[in-house]
Amino acid sequence: MYTQLGQDMIRKEAWNKVTGAADYTNDLPEPAALCAKLLTSRYAHAHIVSIDTVKASSMQGVKAIVTGKDVHFLCGALLNDKPPLAKDKVRFFGEPVAMVIADNEQHAKAAVNCIQVEYQALPVVNSIVDALKPNPTLIHENLMNYKKMIDDVYPIENSNICSHHKIRKGDVQKGWAESEVTVEGTLMLPQSDHAAMETRTARCKMQPDGRVVIQCSSQAPFAVKELISEYFKLPEGNIAVQVPLVGGSFGGKVAAEPEVLAVIAAKAVEGNCVKLVNTREEDMVSFPCHMGVEAKIKLGAKKNGKITAAEMIFHVDCGGYAEIAPKMAKAILVDCTGPYHIENIHCDCYTVYTNHPYTTSFRGFGHESQAFCLERMMDKLAAALKMDPLQLRMVNAIKEDDFTPTQVKVTLSNTGNFAECLNRLKTLINWEEGTRIEQSNNLVRAKGIGCFYKTSDTPTDAAASAIIIFNKDGSIHLNCGAVECGPGMRTTAAQILAEKMNMNIDRIHVKMEIDSETTPKYWKTVASMTTFMVGRAVLSAADDAIRQLLSLGAIALRCPPEDLELGEEKVFVRSDPTMYVSFKHLVHGYKYPNGNAITGPIIGRGSYIMNHLTLLDQETGKGKAGPCWTVGAQAVEVEYDTKQHTYRILRAATVIDAGKVLNPKTAKGVVMGGMCMGLGLGTGEHFVYDDKGIIQDTSFRTYKMLRYGEVPEYLIDFVETPHIEAPFGARGIAEHGIIGIPAALANALSLAAGVDITELPITPEYLWKKKTGAL
């Protein structure tokens, strides 16, 4: 029986947040900081003929101006293809071209406006179709010469394809021969913005002793440290990366972009502190966004609904630079079948350069795009078979002893119970009443379903660590590398520790800020893997502390350690709990009655590193990309006006196999937030480009997000099939609320309107055009 898990816990940072006392990066004091502002490109694709900074350099308050000619390295998480400031040519509208460092923001902005840049326009690659034309305009002429940061990036020479991954499982031709019904379709999702409340920000100061101190809003402070060391040829020991609370990120603050620019700026002004704080427009246009996807999918099945073959081609629009996009394409590939068992699969995922903003991680890491494409095709297959869409999914539900697309054997532990998620969803959304119900006043009520299946695609050596330090009164300070960016992970870590130590969570204090010099390392706070990885490290640290406590307690209580247990901040004799010694008499060493002291202070240390993961075979895709999967089923109910082509979202439902729900209220909140993001992608969020590749919606006035009054009723339930390798069986759930929702919305509206929805977002105008044949 758990005492600290499965309970609603107030977050450790809650009081500071609700009172406004919480500090974010731009709140940190640095009165002498200079201000950096960026000059960005007004072309999507052009040669830089010249940059004239003479007038700007002489303006009031200007301390330095930096251009691409002053920076002699290339950046990139997977492929070094990006100059920090454009050099020779620009590859997307909004790309940073020059940076002014001045004594305040007003002087910096004024100088930026006085820099003269002469461009020579180049043909714009404004879509994936443009990028894949025969003899296309090449965005990166030197593609094959770029340094790879990881092994599994596979660029194609003389093309705009920076990576190609593939799955070859089973015998697809045999599968087609066995199929009695086939469906195929082409689907598309546009690029969009992360829209975190806190825009990206970074500041850098170089100390007289050679230390480089970076303060930033990053999900990956230790990766920032490593990349800064790599780019600037600095010893890692000289670099300190400090991260306070982060005001939302959703994957958008993984890339080390503002941090690199902040270091360049500080070097230009002889190490003085410089801060770079994005405006909303800069955050949307000049820094990485959510990828676009175009897919072609063909499914074959028997008349009983069993899928016999699948062929899939995904093209990922990574924009002007690769960044993390090839890994997201690989993530789509790894889970290309969704939570369904398909014996015969042929899947190709291409990462394609265009003259759009470059992309980075986004909540769901490509799975929201994969799910939209596959789940629309599942509904089309159900229609062709005249079968209930939920029943079709049940027939093909992945189960124990099946094999994933990368040929990993499925167990209840590593995957959970997808069929049970479907059964729970069926009840939750009242599927039995019917999926399309005619109402009065030209209204139709309809329900759609969308399912998901996600593993992490972490590096095979991703690692986490944690340190436990006891206060003299027996309470604990927990130090770990998880960034607190919204989901309450540091509270979850404290819950795990409290449960393991059999003590109250209020007696565990968690350091919210991260400092790479003093915080134990964690890979990155991404991939919904923090509970798993940091949780394992915390349990390891607790085991280390418990061993020391029991060993010292054995001396104090004069019995073997194996006869002892601990709880309520005491070490006691199992057979007689009235014989005990309190933590406060052990944690700083035990003192004998005569004053002699031994063994202390007690410090628990723990770590965890991924194991049994492999790279994927380049030709077949065979391998193990993550330790486990999270599965779930989602549904959306809409009310559609057949005359006006407008609609209301009435309800949205999610059932996830969470393994073990550690903090129910927080878990529901995290899933609900993901569902809201998914509805935003489905209803309005997207970048609009003109024919020159210029983004038209660069502020929240024109970029249409879901508004409060449009939010539906949320229904959330959890299945609990423990993952035996995880802390107390818990699976990751932070990203998963978003994944199937756009597909569920599209399936509901396709049914309501009687049209084949093939792209996002689904606006009333889009539905009208579909109904009238204007598309």
Side-chain angles (χ1 to χ4, degrees):
M1 180 66 182
Y2 297 130
T3 60
Q4 303 298 305
L5 300 181
Q7 312 293 322
D8 294 334
M9 297 287 182
I10 295 175
R11 295 187 187 189
K12 291 291 186 179
E13 78 278 16
W15 290 110
N16 281 347
K17 284 186 173 179
V18 299
T19 60
D23 282 334
Y24 297 84
T25 301
N26 203 34
D27 298 321
L28 300 176
E30 184 56 66
L34 301 174
C35 179
K37 297 303 291 184
L38 299 171
L39 173 69
T40 60
S41 171
R42 52 194 175 91
Y43 289 88
H45 199 198
H47 282 302
I48 299 173
V49 177
S50 65
I51 302 178
D52 184 350
T53 63
V54 173
K55 181 179 179 181
S57 296
S58 63
M59 293 183 67
Q60 181 182 358
V62 173
K63 304 299 182 183
I65 297 179
V66 185
T67 70
K69 299 292 186 182
D70 302 312
V71 184
H72 305 294
F73 60 85
L74 296 175
C75 299
L78 309 180
L79 197 65
N80 283 171
D81 63 352
K82 183 183 183 301
L85 296 167
K87 191 173 185 177
D88 301 325
K89 77 171 184 174
V90 293
R91 294 178 171 89
F92 67 93
F93 170 74
E95 180 172 3
V97 173
M99 179 167 50
V100 173
I101 304 98
D103 57 0
N104 62 46
E105 185 176 6
Q106 290 73 25
H107 291 153
K109 283 183 175 179
V112 163
N113 291 333
C114 287
I115 298 175
Q116 300 296 315
V117 184
E118 182 183 350
Y119 295 98
Q120 180 185 356
L122 294 168
V124 175
V125 179
N126 207 14
S127 67
I128 289 171
V129 172
D130 288 346
L132 298 178
K133 287 177 180 177
N135 301 313
T137 297
L138 293 179
I139 296 173
H140 288 270
E141 298 85 353
N142 298 317
L143 174 59
M144 305 308 291
N145 296 325
Y146 292 139
K147 177 184 176 181
K148 290 185 179 183
M149 299 295 281
I150 61 172
D151 292 332
D152 51 344
V153 179
Y154 308 111
I156 297 178
E157 192 169 6
N158 295 320
S159 78
N160 285 316
I161 297 170
C162 72
S163 195
H164 174 208
H165 293 86
K166 50 192 173 184
I167 289 281
R168 302 291 185 264
K169 177 192 172 191
D171 185 340
V172 173
Q173 295 308 313
K174 177 175 175 289
W176 292 129
E178 293 174 351
S179 66
E180 296 170 302
V181 174
T182 61
V183 293
E184 52 190 310
T186 300
L187 305 108
M188 190 275 286
L189 298 93
Q191 289 184 320
S192 57
D193 188 53
H194 296 80
M197 283 194 290
E198 179 196 30
T199 61
R200 297 170 180 91
T201 181
R203 62 175 72 174
C204 177
K205 184 174 184 178
M206 296 182 176
Q207 306 284 19
D209 63 0
R211 290 173 66 247
V212 179
V213 181
I214 302 165
Q215 296 171 322
C216 55
S217 57
S218 172
Q219 295 172 252
F222 295 95
V224 168
K225 178 177 179 174
E226 292 167 9
L227 289 172
I228 294 297
S229 173
E230 166 87 13
Y231 298 153
F232 293 92
K233 308 306 177 188
L234 296 169
E236 280 194 36
N238 286 18
I239 303 166
V241 180
Q242 300 168 353
V243 177
L245 296 174
V246 173
S249 49
F250 315 113
K253 294 174 181 173
V254 173
E257 302 299 331
E259 297 83 0
V260 171
L261 291 170
V263 176
I264 291 170
K267 285 174 67 70
V269 291
E270 300 179 347
N272 287 318
C273 183
V274 181
K275 65 178 181 180
L276 176 70
V277 181
N278 283 353
T279 64
R280 180 59 61 184
E281 183 172 0
E282 288 167 341
D283 218 50
M284 295 179 75
V285 175
S286 299
F287 288 80
C289 65
H290 176 212
M291 68 185 187
V293 170
E294 291 185 11
K296 293 183 179 180
I297 297 178
K298 180 180 178 183
L299 300 177
K302 293 183 177 294
K303 289 181 180 178
N304 65 2
K306 185 63 180 174
I307 298 173
T308 57
E311 289 187 14
M312 308 177 187
I313 300 175
F314 291 90
H315 289 106
V316 171
D317 181 352
C318 72
Y321 299 100
E323 213 342 84
I324 204 75
K327 200 161 191 175
M328 288 191 284
K330 178 189 169 190
I332 289 174
L333 181 95
V334 165
D335 295 331
C336 63
T337 61
Y340 312 112
H341 182 237
I342 303 176
E343 289 279 359
N344 307 300
I345 311 163
H346 191 298
C347 181
D348 291 271
C349 287
Y350 298 92
T351 308
V352 182
Y353 288 123
T354 66
N355 289 129
H356 291 165
Y358 70 110
T359 61
T360 191
S361 309
F362 185 91
R363 195 174 196 169
F365 206 67
H367 288 73
E368 71 294 337
S369 302
Q370 174 273 331
F372 171 77
C373 298
L374 179 61
E375 292 295 312
R376 278 298 298 127
M377 294 306 300
M378 289 293 286
D379 260 37
K380 290 180 72 169
L381 180 59
L385 291 164
K386 295 180 172 57
M387 181 181 256
D388 177 79
L390 193 147
Q391 182 59 30
L392 174 65
R393 289 163 171 85
M394 188 68 80
V395 166
N396 292 284
I398 197 162
K399 61 186 183 304
E400 200 164 20
D401 296 326
D402 287 341
F403 285 86
T404 72
T406 63
Q407 303 180 51
V408 176
K409 190 173 183 178
V410 173
T411 68
L412 279 175
S413 170
N414 71 15
T415 303
N417 191 337
F418 175 55
E420 180 59 20
C421 292
L422 285 169
N423 284 327
R424 297 268 192 99
L425 183 74
K426 190 174 184 179
T427 302
L428 198 62
I429 201 68
N430 194 14
W431 192 263
E432 293 291 357
E433 75 163 341
T435 55
R436 190 179 192 278
I437 300 167
E438 300 273 359
Q439 300 182 128
S440 59
N441 300 321
N442 305 311
L443 298 178
V444 173
R445 189 159 53 87
K447 300 169 187 174
I449 190 171
C451 302
F452 61 82
Y453 164 79
K454 182 184 183 300
T455 191
S456 64
D457 195 40
T458 51
T460 57
D461 61 349
S465 49
I467 297 172
I468 295 170
I469 299 172
F470 289 87
N471 298 308
K472 198 169 183 180
D473 65 355
S475 62
I476 290 176
H477 274 281
L478 171 62
N479 193 356
C480 61
V483 173
E484 186 47 72
C485 54
M489 181 55 226
R490 295 202 152 210
T491 305
T492 301
Q495 278 186 273
I496 291 169
L497 179 58
E499 191 66 50
K500 182 69 175 179
M501 299 297 295
N502 195 12
M503 62 190 289
N504 193 296
I505 191 173
D506 292 338
R507 297 282 287 164
I508 294 175
H509 308 282
V510 184
K511 187 175 186 291
M512 287 294 161
E513 302 79 17
I514 288 178
D515 186 333
S516 63
E517 289 188 308
T518 57
T519 305
K521 182 177 179 177
Y522 174 44
W523 164 58
K524 296 176 184 178
T525 306
V526 297
S528 302
M529 289 305 296
T530 308
T531 297
F532 179 79
M533 294 181 64
V534 171
R536 285 288 299 263
V538 168
L539 289 176
S540 175
D543 284 335
D544 185 34
I546 290 168
R547 177 187 56 78
Q548 296 175 62
L549 285 165
L550 294 180
S551 177
L552 190 54
I555 294 172
L557 295 168
R558 302 177 184 180
C559 64
E562 56 266 25
D563 289 352
L564 302 176
E565 290 187 8
L566 80 170
E568 298 179 353
E569 299 181 37
K570 301 173 183 175
V571 174
F572 58 85
V573 178
R574 185 182 300 110
S575 60
D576 184 3
T578 63
M579 297 177 63
Y580 68 86
V581 58
S582 297
F583 277 13
K584 63 184 178 182
H585 295 133
L586 295 174
V587 293
H588 280 203
Y590 178 67
K591 186 161 65 174
Y592 290 102
N594 69 355
N596 292 164
I598 60 168
T599 313
I602 289 175
I603 299 173
R605 61 176 187 174
S607 61
Y608 176 77
I609 191 166
M610 286 292 190
N611 52 64
H612 301 129
L613 302 188
T614 68
L615 298 177
L616 303 187
D617 182 273
Q618 187 177 351
E619 296 303 318
T620 66
K622 185 176 181 180
K624 188 176 182 183
C628 65
W629 286 258
T630 298
V631 294
Q634 299 181 287
V636 171
E637 182 177 3
V638 300
E639 186 179 73
Y640 172 70
D641 187 321
T642 59
K643 294 292 185 182
Q644 300 296 325
H645 308 292
T646 56
Y647 63 91
R648 290 193 305 134
I649 306 168
L650 303 177
R651 297 191 297 168
T654 297
V655 182
I656 295 179
D657 193 332
K660 171 64 182 174
V661 178
L662 303 183
N663 189 336
K665 188 172 286 187
T666 295
K668 287 183 178 179
V670 166
V671 172
M672 191 184 301
M675 294 167 73
C676 187
M677 285 188 75
L679 292 173
L681 293 181
T683 57
E685 291 190 49
H686 69 309
F687 281 158
V688 178
Y689 302 96
D690 67 11
D691 58 0
K692 296 180 180 179
I694 310 302
I695 301 178
Q696 303 299 294
D697 47 347
T698 60
S699 77
F700 286 170
R701 291 189 298 275
T702 52
Y703 182 85
K704 300 299 183 182
M705 293 187 289
L706 199 69
R707 293 170 292 198
Y708 182 77
E710 299 167 326
V711 172
E713 177 187 5
Y714 291 111
L715 308 170
I716 299 166
D717 194 11
F718 296 102
V719 174
E720 294 187 314
T721 309
H723 176 215
I724 59 177
E725 295 177 17
F728 301 100
R731 303 177 197 281
I733 60 170
E735 297 174 274
H736 301 76
I738 194 175
I739 297 175
I741 288 291
L745 176 67
N747 285 335
L749 286 170
S750 292
L751 184 62
V755 298
D756 179 16
I757 292 174
T758 58
E759 62 185 80
L760 296 180
I762 310 165
T763 62
E765 181 183 9
Y766 174 82
L767 291 171
W768 170 75
K769 287 181 176 179
K770 273 285 188 179
K771 286 294 289 184
T772 59
L775 283 178

